[in-house]
Amino acid sequence: MAEAQYVVAMCDVLGFSNLIRTQPLDLVLTRYRSLREQVRAFQMQGYTPGIAQAINVVDCVIFSDTVLFWAPAAGAPDVLPMLLCFLVAKTLAEMPLRIGIACGSCVIDPVNDIFIG
């Protein structure tokens, strides 16, 4: 996997300890699946100069109370922040998120569960 420029968003599920203490884990899993589906429903495709095919702009991985979203910076840098604003508004009542966004060099290899940058 080669180094590339990405826009990365680290999302923290607020109140996670209370969420898993008061809700069955199956329900929490359903909420996370819903969050991923919302991302996929608004998935857009961008184009990187020099690459003839469309690239998926946003992808994500979930680790307990953390959701990591990323998008190639060259493809469509404004897509991820806009999508996240929409997600925060939609999930505010059931699973509020705190989000930090960064842009820079990363190695993202989801097949091997490696995220460096």
Side-chain angles (χ1 to χ4, degrees), residues 5-40:
Q5 296 291 309
Y6 287 93
V7 176
V8 177
M10 181 76 74
C11 307
D12 178 40
V13 176
L14 299 175
F16 182 77
S17 295
N18 187 50
L19 180 67
I20 62 170
R21 187 174 38 251
T22 61
Q23 302 290 320
L25 288 180
D26 288 345
L27 179 58
V28 175
L29 176 61
T30 299
R31 288 183 178 173
Y32 275 125
R33 285 184 175 152
S34 175
L35 184 69
R36 285 188 69 131
E37 288 307 312
Q38 289 175 45
V39 171
R40 289 188 177 123

Coordinates of all heavy atoms in Angstrom, one line a residue, residues 5-40:
Q5 N -2.5 11.1 -0.1 CA -3.1 12.2 0.7 C -4.6 11.9 0.9 O -5.3 11.5 0.0 CB -3.0 13.5 -0.1 CG -1.6 14.0 -0.4 CD -1.0 14.5 0.9 OE1 -1.5 15.3 1.7 NE2 0.2 13.9 1.2
Y6 N -5.0 12.0 2.2 CA -6.4 11.7 2.6 C -6.9 12.8 3.4 O -6.2 13.5 4.1 CB -6.4 10.4 3.4 CG -6.2 9.2 2.6 CD1 -4.9 8.6 2.5 CD2 -7.2 8.5 2.0 CE1 -4.7 7.4 1.8 CE2 -7.0 7.3 1.3 CZ -5.8 6.8 1.2 OH -5.5 5.7 0.5
V7 N -8.3 12.9 3.4 CA -9.0 13.6 4.4 C -9.5 12.5 5.3 O -10.2 11.6 4.9 CB -10.2 14.4 3.8 CG1 -11.0 15.1 4.9 CG2 -9.7 15.4 2.8
V8 N -9.2 12.7 6.6 CA -9.6 11.6 7.6 C -10.4 12.3 8.7 O -10.1 13.4 9.2 CB -8.3 11.0 8.2 CG1 -8.7 10.0 9.3 CG2 -7.4 10.4 7.1
A9 N -11.5 11.6 9.1 CA -12.3 12.1 10.2 C -12.3 11.0 11.3 O -12.7 9.8 11.0 CB -13.7 12.4 9.7
M10 N -12.0 11.4 12.5 CA -12.0 10.5 13.6 C -13.3 10.9 14.4 O -13.4 12.0 14.9 CB -10.8 10.6 14.5 CG -10.8 9.7 15.7 SD -10.4 8.0 15.3 CE -8.6 8.1 15.0
C11 N -14.2 10.0 14.5 CA -15.5 10.3 15.2 C -15.6 9.5 16.5 O -15.3 8.3 16.5 CB -16.7 9.9 14.3 SG -16.6 10.6 12.7
D12 N -15.9 10.2 17.6 CA -16.1 9.6 18.9 C -17.6 9.6 19.2 O -18.3 10.6 19.1 CB -15.3 10.4 19.9 CG -15.5 9.9 21.3 OD1 -15.5 8.7 21.5 OD2 -15.6 10.7 22.2
V13 N -18.1 8.4 19.5 CA -19.5 8.3 19.9 C -19.7 8.8 21.3 O -19.1 8.1 22.3 CB -20.0 6.8 19.8 CG1 -21.5 6.7 20.2 CG2 -19.9 6.3 18.3
L14 N -20.3 9.9 21.5 CA -20.5 10.5 22.9 C -21.5 9.6 23.7 O -22.5 9.1 23.2 CB -21.0 11.9 22.7 CG -20.1 12.8 22.0 CD1 -20.7 14.2 21.8 CD2 -18.8 13.0 22.7
G15 N -21.1 9.4 24.9 CA -22.0 8.6 25.8 C -21.9 7.1 25.6 O -22.9 6.4 25.9
F16 N -20.8 6.6 25.0 CA -20.7 5.2 24.6 C -20.9 4.3 25.8 O -21.6 3.3 25.7 CB -19.4 5.0 23.9 CG -19.3 3.5 23.4 CD1 -20.0 3.1 22.2 CD2 -18.5 2.6 24.1 CE1 -19.8 1.8 21.8 CE2 -18.4 1.3 23.6 CZ -19.0 0.9 22.5
S17 N -20.2 4.6 26.9 CA -20.3 3.7 28.1 C -21.7 3.6 28.5 O -22.2 2.5 28.9 CB -19.5 4.3 29.2 OG -18.1 4.3 28.9
N18 N -22.5 4.7 28.6 CA -23.9 4.7 29.0 C -24.7 3.9 27.9 O -25.6 3.1 28.3 CB -24.4 6.1 29.1 CG -25.8 6.1 29.7 OD1 -26.1 5.4 30.7 ND2 -26.7 6.8 29.0
L19 N -24.4 4.1 26.6 CA -25.1 3.4 25.6 C -25.0 1.9 25.7 O -26.0 1.2 25.7 CB -24.5 3.9 24.2 CG -25.1 3.3 23.0 CD1 -26.5 3.8 22.8 CD2 -24.3 3.6 21.7
I20 N -23.8 1.4 25.9 CA -23.7 -0.1 26.0 C -24.1 -0.6 27.4 O -24.4 -1.8 27.5 CB -22.2 -0.6 25.7 CG1 -21.2 0.0 26.7 CG2 -21.9 -0.3 24.3 CD1 -19.9 -0.7 26.5
R21 N -24.2 0.3 28.4 CA -24.7 -0.2 29.7 C -26.2 -0.3 29.7 O -26.8 -1.1 30.4 CB -24.2 0.8 30.8 CG -24.6 0.4 32.2 CD -24.0 1.3 33.3 NE -24.0 2.7 33.0 CZ -22.9 3.4 32.7 NH1 -21.7 2.9 32.7 NH2 -22.9 4.7 32.4
T22 N -26.9 0.6 28.9 CA -28.4 0.7 28.9 C -29.0 0.0 27.7 O -30.3 -0.1 27.7 CB -28.8 2.1 29.0 OG1 -28.3 2.9 27.9 CG2 -28.3 2.8 30.3
Q23 N -28.3 -0.3 26.7 CA -28.9 -0.9 25.5 C -28.3 -2.2 25.2 O -27.1 -2.4 25.4 CB -28.6 0.0 24.3 CG -29.1 1.5 24.4 CD -30.6 1.6 24.4 OE1 -31.2 0.9 23.6 NE2 -31.1 2.4 25.2
P24 N -29.0 -3.2 24.7 CA -28.5 -4.5 24.3 C -27.4 -4.2 23.2 O -27.6 -3.4 22.3 CB -29.7 -5.3 23.8 CG -30.9 -4.5 24.2 CD -30.5 -3.1 24.5
L25 N -26.4 -5.0 23.2 CA -25.3 -4.9 22.2 C -25.9 -5.1 20.8 O -25.4 -4.4 19.8 CB -24.2 -5.8 22.4 CG -23.3 -5.5 23.6 CD1 -22.2 -6.5 23.8 CD2 -22.7 -4.0 23.5
D26 N -26.9 -5.9 20.6 CA -27.5 -6.1 19.3 C -28.1 -4.8 18.8 O -28.0 -4.5 17.6 CB -28.6 -7.2 19.3 CG -28.0 -8.6 19.4 OD1 -26.8 -8.7 19.2 OD2 -28.8 -9.5 19.7
L27 N -28.7 -4.0 19.7 CA -29.3 -2.7 19.3 C -28.1 -1.7 18.9 O -28.3 -1.0 17.9 CB -30.1 -2.1 20.4 CG -30.8 -0.8 20.1 CD1 -31.7 -0.8 18.9 CD2 -31.6 -0.3 21.3
V28 N -27.0 -1.7 19.7 CA -25.9 -0.9 19.3 C -25.3 -1.3 18.0 O -25.0 -0.4 17.2 CB -24.8 -1.0 20.5 CG1 -23.6 -0.2 20.1 CG2 -25.4 -0.5 21.8
L29 N -25.2 -2.5 17.7 CA -24.7 -3.0 16.4 C -25.7 -2.6 15.3 O -25.2 -2.1 14.3 CB -24.7 -4.6 16.4 CG -24.3 -5.2 15.1 CD1 -22.9 -4.8 14.7 CD2 -24.3 -6.7 15.3
T30 N -27.0 -2.6 15.5 CA -27.9 -2.1 14.5 C -27.7 -0.6 14.3 O -27.8 -0.2 13.1 CB -29.4 -2.4 15.0 OG1 -29.5 -3.8 15.2 CG2 -30.4 -1.9 14.0
R31 N -27.4 0.1 15.3 CA -27.2 1.6 15.1 C -25.9 1.8 14.3 O -25.9 2.7 13.4 CB -27.1 2.3 16.4 CG -28.4 2.4 17.1 CD -28.3 3.2 18.4 NE -29.6 3.3 19.0 CZ -29.8 3.8 20.2 NH1 -28.8 4.3 20.9 NH2 -31.0 3.9 20.7
Y32 N -24.9 1.1 14.6 CA -23.6 1.2 13.8 C -23.9 0.8 12.3 O -23.4 1.5 11.4 CB -22.5 0.3 14.4 CG -21.8 1.0 15.5 CD1 -21.6 0.4 16.7 CD2 -21.2 2.2 15.3 CE1 -20.9 1.0 17.8 CE2 -20.5 2.9 16.3 CZ -20.3 2.2 17.6 OH -19.6 2.8 18.5
R33 N -24.6 -0.3 12.1 CA -24.9 -0.7 10.7 C -25.7 0.4 10.0 O -25.5 0.7 8.9 CB -25.6 -2.0 10.7 CG -24.7 -3.2 11.0 CD -25.5 -4.5 10.9 NE -24.5 -5.6 11.1 CZ -24.9 -6.8 11.6 NH1 -26.1 -7.0 11.9 NH2 -24.0 -7.7 11.7
S34 N -26.6 1.0 10.7 CA -27.4 2.1 10.2 C -26.5 3.3 9.8 O -26.7 3.9 8.7 CB -28.5 2.5 11.2 OG -29.2 3.7 10.7
L35 N -25.5 3.6 10.7 CA -24.6 4.7 10.4 C -23.8 4.4 9.1 O -23.7 5.2 8.2 CB -23.6 4.8 11.6 CG -22.6 6.0 11.5 CD1 -23.3 7.3 11.6 CD2 -21.6 5.8 12.6
R36 N -23.3 3.1 9.0 CA -22.6 2.7 7.8 C -23.4 2.8 6.5 O -23.0 3.2 5.5 CB -22.0 1.3 7.9 CG -20.8 1.3 8.8 CD -20.2 -0.1 8.8 NE -19.6 -0.2 7.5 CZ -18.4 -0.7 7.3 NH1 -17.6 -1.0 8.3 NH2 -17.9 -0.8 6.0
E37 N -24.7 2.4 6.7 CA -25.6 2.4 5.5 C -25.9 3.8 5.1 O -26.1 4.1 3.9 CB -26.9 1.6 5.8 CG -26.7 0.2 5.9 CD -26.0 -0.4 4.6 OE1 -26.4 -0.1 3.5 OE2 -25.1 -1.2 4.8
Q38 N -26.0 4.8 6.1 CA -26.2 6.2 5.7 C -25.0 6.7 4.9 O -25.2 7.5 4.0 CB -26.4 7.0 7.0 CG -27.7 6.7 7.7 CD -27.9 7.4 9.0 OE1 -27.6 8.6 9.1 NE2 -28.4 6.7 10.0
V39 N -23.8 6.3 5.3 CA -22.6 6.7 4.6 C -22.7 6.1 3.1 O -22.5 6.8 2.2 CB -21.3 6.2 5.2 CG1 -20.1 6.4 4.3 CG2 -21.2 6.9 6.6
R40 N -23.1 4.8 3.0 CA -23.2 4.2 1.7 C -24.3 4.8 0.9 O -24.1 5.0 -0.3 CB -23.4 2.7 1.9 CG -22.1 2.0 2.4 CD -22.3 0.5 2.3 NE -21.0 -0.1 2.8 CZ -20.9 -0.9 3.8 NH1 -22.0 -1.2 4.5 NH2 -19.8 -1.4 4.1

